[in-house]
Amino acid sequence: MATPNKVQIPALLDLTIDNITPNTVKINSQSGDRRLTYLMERLVTHLHDFARETRLSTDEWVTAIKFLVECGQISSDVRQEFILLSDILGLSLLVDSINHPKPPNTTEGSVLGPFHTHDAPTLDNGATMSSDPKGEPLLCICTVKDSNGKPVEGVKIDIWETDSSGHYDVQHSDRNEPTERCVMVSNPNGDFWFKCILPVSYPIPHDGPVGKLLGKLNRHPWRPAHLHFMFEKEGWDHLITALYMRGDPYETSDAVFGVKKSLIVEPQQIDSATAKEYGVPEGSWILKHDFVLTTDKETQDLRDQLALEALAKLGLNLTLIDHLPVPDLD
């Protein structure tokens, strides 16, 4: 923290509705970090404009502060209420779309959600990641390719879903070990396959402040049935996505805005030959899907292009440093 007598600050006296914003921006502009300065300038400007535009009352301000405090109090290592808040406000999807734009014919991203963990076991191809005997068996056969159709070997793939009751393992108080989740690695052909259960729709946690907010907004808390995937490999763009089951009643009203048409899939009843080949019961479901990744460079180039186009439309005089906009000093 800076020593007070060594920091040159503007005189902060007689501040009013009209001059509080430029003075706050000025005192926040001493870090020497151009990106931080720009972020704080835009945050303060929009936040103050919001208060002025809405004529924000003291009671509303106190209610908002209490709401944020409650989000922090209910959060834990296995429950991230602030991520949930970001999700239901559409911010999570917006940030992912800005930072991970996808060229045509590559796999689109979706929301991470608050229930990813770092303790999932690494499983071999063909293993079962679910211990739920009540779920309908599902065999997933997948490939990972680049935008030219070539297989990508050695990709780390995190996979997770709820159990048949619509709860993630971390939502159970008696959880002893991870279940309905795993980590896999794509083989030299870019393949990975695993056994799980057919996803079910479920409500996001709505017993906390975010759920209460949804209630006040007359919004439901439900998510359509889906499987989460996260792909990681050095040199490749980090992909967080999900596959959504076609025909789910919440397909077009996902509480966290995650569904995209390209991510909607339709499991089929498995045929006897395939069931025998993969060692699953006849009558099981099967889902086949090809994931297409982009390289870091492909994504960075596209992100820079889209950023410059967006900034030009807004008439902003900015330049990119480390692929992020900052005011142009020229």
Side-chain angles (χ1 to χ4, degrees), residues 75-94 96 109-118 158 160-162 168 170-171 181 202-205 210 221 223-224 226-230 238-242 244 254-259:
S75 294
S76 67
D77 289 341
V78 294
R79 175 167 181 165
Q80 301 292 336
E81 195 78 359
F82 282 107
I83 291 180
L84 204 60
L85 176 60
S86 176
D87 288 348
I88 67 108
L89 293 177
L91 181 61
S92 300
L93 189 69
L94 176 60
D96 181 74
S110 189
V111 293
L112 174 67
F115 293 115
H116 173 258
T117 70
H118 296 281
D158 274 78
W160 67 104
E161 66 169 335
T162 70
Y168 289 94
V170 295
Q171 293 179 277
R181 64 179 73 240
Y202 65 90
I204 61 174
V210 171
R223 297 217 63 203
H226 59 277
L227 273 166
H228 287 280
F229 295 85
M230 182 164 63
H238 188 195
L239 174 63
I240 298 169
T241 192
Y244 296 88
D254 182 7
V256 302
F257 312 108
V259 182

Side-chain angles (χ1 to χ4, degrees), residues 21 36 48 55 62 66 97 105 123 125 134 141-142 187 202 258 273 287 305 309 311 318:
T21 303
L36 176 61
H48 287 198
R55 309 309 292 179
V62 170
K66 288 182 177 178
S97 299
N105 303 317
L123 302 181
N125 274 330
K134 297 180 181 179
I141 303 175
C142 307
N187 69 15
Y202 65 90
L287 175 62
Q305 174 193 330
E309 291 174 358
L311 296 173
L318 302 173

Side-chain angles (χ1 to χ4, degrees), residues 15 60 111 165 167 209 211 240 252 276:
L15 298 181
E60 289 168 334
V111 293
S165 74
H167 294 87
I240 298 169
T252 58
K276 183 177 180 180

Side-chain angles (χ1 to χ4, degrees), residues 207-282:
D207 58 337
V210 171
K212 292 176 184 177
L213 176 60
L214 287 178
K216 287 183 177 293
L217 296 173
N218 197 27
R219 286 176 54 184
H220 72 70
W222 286 83
R223 297 217 63 203
H226 59 277
L227 273 166
H228 287 280
F229 295 85
M230 182 164 63
F231 297 80
E232 296 178 85
K233 183 178 181 179
E234 187 175 355
W236 296 82
D237 188 47
H238 188 195
L239 174 63
I240 298 169
T241 192
L243 297 180
Y244 296 88
M245 306 300 112
R246 187 180 304 281
D248 188 280
Y250 302 103
E251 181 181 300
T252 58
S253 64
D254 182 7
V256 302
F257 312 108
V259 182
K260 298 176 182 177
K261 289 181 180 179
S262 68
L263 300 177
I264 297 175
V265 296
E266 189 167 0
Q268 304 291 328
Q269 290 284 310
I270 197 167
D271 62 81
S272 57
T274 306
K276 183 177 180 180
E277 179 183 357
Y278 286 92
V280 298
E282 289 191 37

Side-chain angles (χ1 to χ4, degrees), residues 53-54 137 254:
E53 179 184 338
T54 63
D254 182 7

Side-chain angles (χ1 to χ4, degrees), residues 98-110:
I98 290 170
N99 285 274
H100 301 277
K102 303 302 178 189
N105 303 317
T106 61
T107 301
E108 293 187 277
S110 189

